[in-house]
Amino acid sequence: MKKLFSNKIIWIALIGLLSTGCNNILDQDPDKIISDEQIFSDEIMINSVLANFYGRVHWGQNTADSYSYTILDEAGKSDGGPDNIQNYGDDLWRVYDYTLIRSINQFLAGLRSTNALSMTKKLSYEAEARFLRAWVYFNMARGMGGMPIVGDEVFEYTLEMTLQHCNMRDQQSRRSIAISLRKSMRSMPTWVTVRR
């Protein structure tokens, strides 16, 4: 009797499995992916992409990690108990975020081709993106030493590529980052105050 019952369950499960095997649920196109044309045809979408870049800069001292303020400052964590930090991670603020660099370069390419913004808005958004990219380069060079500077080009990596390396001890590399920062500051909106 038990064998007959278990055979029925196996047959029902097998028939159920085979009848759902031809469903095209995995062949559907994703509906949550937004194309570049959709992004760069709407000012609100362009602004949200730029805001996303600010949200992806999370190294160093930041409000998401209040303890980070105690590492470089005389601040003390006062949420109860002593502050007995003994060791620091080997990768503390070691920035190597080429994904963000590539995203910013893609943003700059799309921003230059859009007709949804006035020229002053384009320059303002471009200045912000260039500033963020220069800030990422600065943190990468400060934390890691020499690393490639890819500029504005969006490309796929190949083995034959040769890229310029940046070293914070190298005057030309520091000058390259400083020039990028200065250019972006000149195009910043008038409500941004820049001290020189």
Side-chain angles (χ1 to χ4, degrees), residues 129-149:
R130 286 182 171 281
F131 175 81
L132 282 171
R133 188 179 65 187
W135 176 245
V136 174
Y137 276 135
F138 171 77
N139 282 287
M140 288 169 66
R142 180 185 65 177
M144 300 294 287
M147 84 296 167
I149 295 181

Side-chain angles (χ1 to χ4, degrees), residues 10-184:
I10 290 173
W11 278 106
I12 290 172
L14 188 61
I15 290 171
L17 184 64
L18 291 175
S19 66
T20 60
C22 295
N23 194 348
N24 292 334
I25 194 161
L26 297 178
D27 295 333
Q28 295 179 0
D29 291 329
D31 58 350
K32 304 260 188 221
I33 296 176
I34 301 172
S35 68
D36 287 347
E37 292 81 26
Q38 291 171 317
I39 291 172
F40 291 106
S41 64
D42 183 19
E43 182 178 353
I44 294 171
M45 292 295 288
I46 294 170
N47 199 14
S48 70
V49 171
L50 189 59
N52 175 274
F53 295 152
Y54 281 101
R56 288 166 60 183
V57 175
H58 53 79
W59 53 84
Q61 295 174 321
N62 60 65
T63 56
D65 179 20
S66 61
Y67 199 78
S68 64
Y69 289 99
T70 65
I71 295 173
L72 294 179
D73 200 359
E74 295 135 9
K77 189 93 166 133
S78 61
D79 58 355
D83 184 13
N84 290 335
I85 191 163
Q86 299 291 324
N87 298 323
Y88 296 96
D90 291 340
D91 61 346
L92 188 63
W93 298 328
R94 192 174 287 178
V95 179
Y96 202 73
D97 199 354
Y98 276 103
T99 306
L100 180 57
I101 297 285
R102 187 171 200 282
S103 296
I104 290 172
N105 286 346
Q106 288 173 325
F107 176 78
L108 288 170
L111 191 64
R112 291 183 189 115
S113 66
T114 187
N115 294 325
L117 299 173
S118 67
M119 195 50 131
T120 55
K121 285 265 193 184
K122 276 186 186 181
L123 289 174
S124 173
Y125 286 156
E126 184 174 342
E128 287 186 65
R130 286 182 171 281
F131 175 81
L132 282 171
R133 188 179 65 187
W135 176 245
V136 174
Y137 276 135
F138 171 77
N139 282 287
M140 288 169 66
R142 180 185 65 177
M144 300 294 287
M147 84 296 167
I149 295 181
V150 295
D152 285 348
E153 188 176 353
V154 178
F155 51 85
E156 300 297 325
Y157 179 75
T158 61
L159 291 175
E160 296 82 31
M161 290 177 76
T162 56
L163 300 172
Q164 172 191 358
H165 279 29
C166 172
N167 189 341
M168 286 309 282
R169 292 183 199 95
D170 178 23
Q171 187 173 1
Q172 181 180 0
S173 299
R174 288 194 311 254
R175 190 178 311 123
S176 172
I177 293 172
I179 288 170
S180 181
L181 285 171
R182 266 191 236 113
K183 282 182 183 177
S184 65

Side-chain angles (χ1 to χ4, degrees), residues 2-14:
K2 279 187 175 184
K3 188 174 184 179
L4 182 64
F5 182 70
S6 65
N7 282 341
K8 282 184 182 180
I9 290 178
I10 290 173
W11 278 106
I12 290 172
L14 188 61

